[in-house]
Every structure is written in structure tokens, then in C-alpha cells.
Amino acid sequence: MNFFHILVVTAEEEIYRGKVSKVIACSSSGELGIMAGHAPLLAILRPGVLRLDCRGEQRDEANTCLEVIVLGGYLEVQPNNVIVLADAVERAEDLNRAKAEKAVQRAKDNFALAKGGNIDLAMVALELALARYNLVCKNDGINLNRRS
């Protein structure tokens, strides 16, 4: 498996630096999947989940090195190097599941009432609330993807 270097930073701190096998990020054009050898790219990140996979680096290590909510920013891809400049980052351990669940319901209600130019803003707020809820549930060991 091929690895590449990544640096994830905000203006305040370095979030992660290391080798990964895959990056999944939400861009303004849609979800991006980046692996070693990806073509050079500059993307605007929209609020959503940023996932770094370390699969194969060490057998006893979990596949996901980092999974956080990014509140926007930029992603630059160069040969064997990725830099994420995030506006802000939220970690699962900093989120509360009950509050996240209430935020999803509020965002759904606001989206249902949104009109005109507010629809896009309400959609982003709903996507962010759902991303937070999914991340905190995953961190708490709750599988939201169960099939009956």
C-alpha cells in the first residue's frame, strides 16, 4: 500500500502530521477521495467530515488515524503531500450526543421553513449538524448504518 504525507492545521494549532493511505474530505464540488499519486489539486473545503486512513501502515493500528469535523478551509494536493488548512476543527470527544441530536432536529426544522436564498444556508447547517451527530455517535460506538 502506498502512503503519502499529510499536514492538517488551523490558524491556532497543528491537528495532525503523518503518513496516510487515504484522505476523504468534503469540498465545494463534492466529496473527495485522495490516495497516493493523486493529481495536483486545490480545493475549497465545505463544512463536513475529514477522515484520514492509515490502513496497512501497522497491522495493530486502527484504519482511521483521524476523523474530525472541518468547518471549511482549503485542501492542497501535491505529489506525495497533502496540506489541509482548516478554518476550525471539532473533535468527537468535544461533542455531546444529546446536544448534537437536538441540533439536527433544529436544523431540520429550519430547513423546512427556509425560503429563497436561505435554503442553501439551511442545507449547510443541516449537513454540518448531521456530520457532528454521525461523528459523535461513531465515537460512542453507535452504528447508524445498521440494516434491519
Side-chain angles (χ1 to χ4, degrees):
M1 179 149 303
N2 294 328
F3 294 92
F4 56 96
H5 294 278
I6 187 163
L7 173 63
V8 180
V9 296
T10 66
E12 292 83 28
E13 66 179 319
E14 182 177 298
I15 305 298
Y16 184 86
R17 178 189 301 257
K19 288 183 174 182
V20 296
S21 58
K22 181 170 55 172
V23 174
I24 304 292
C26 297
S27 78
S28 59
S29 302
E31 193 169 72
L32 293 172
I34 298 166
M35 299 179 80
H38 194 285
L41 171 74
L42 183 61
I44 297 172
L45 296 176
R46 73 172 204 259
V49 175
L50 172 70
R51 188 175 72 234
L52 310 181
D53 287 343
C54 298
R55 192 178 325 252
E57 189 171 42
Q58 295 179 358
R59 288 192 180 273
D60 59 345
E61 188 173 353
N63 291 340
T64 302
C65 327
L66 178 72
E67 193 166 17
V68 294
I69 301 294
V70 173
L71 302 176
Y74 297 92
L75 178 136
E76 178 186 15
V77 179
Q78 292 295 327
N80 298 315
N81 193 37
V82 172
I83 299 173
V84 175
L85 303 171
D87 294 338
V89 168
E90 296 178 349
R91 294 173 175 88
E93 56 268 15
D94 298 333
L95 300 173
N96 175 288
R97 187 164 33 104
K99 287 181 181 178
E101 192 169 5
K102 287 178 186 174
V104 168
Q105 189 56 54
R106 272 194 315 271
K108 284 180 179 179
D109 294 343
N110 290 341
F111 181 73
L113 298 172
K115 293 184 169 97
N118 291 334
I119 292 174
D120 290 340
L121 185 58
M123 177 58 85
V124 169
L126 179 56
E127 288 175 355
L128 183 57
L130 287 168
R132 284 179 175 137
Y133 182 68
N134 286 332
L135 182 62
V136 75
C137 285
K138 184 175 181 181
N139 191 58
D140 289 348
I142 299 169
N143 182 2
L144 298 175
N145 296 320
R146 282 190 310 228
R147 298 185 192 253
S148 314

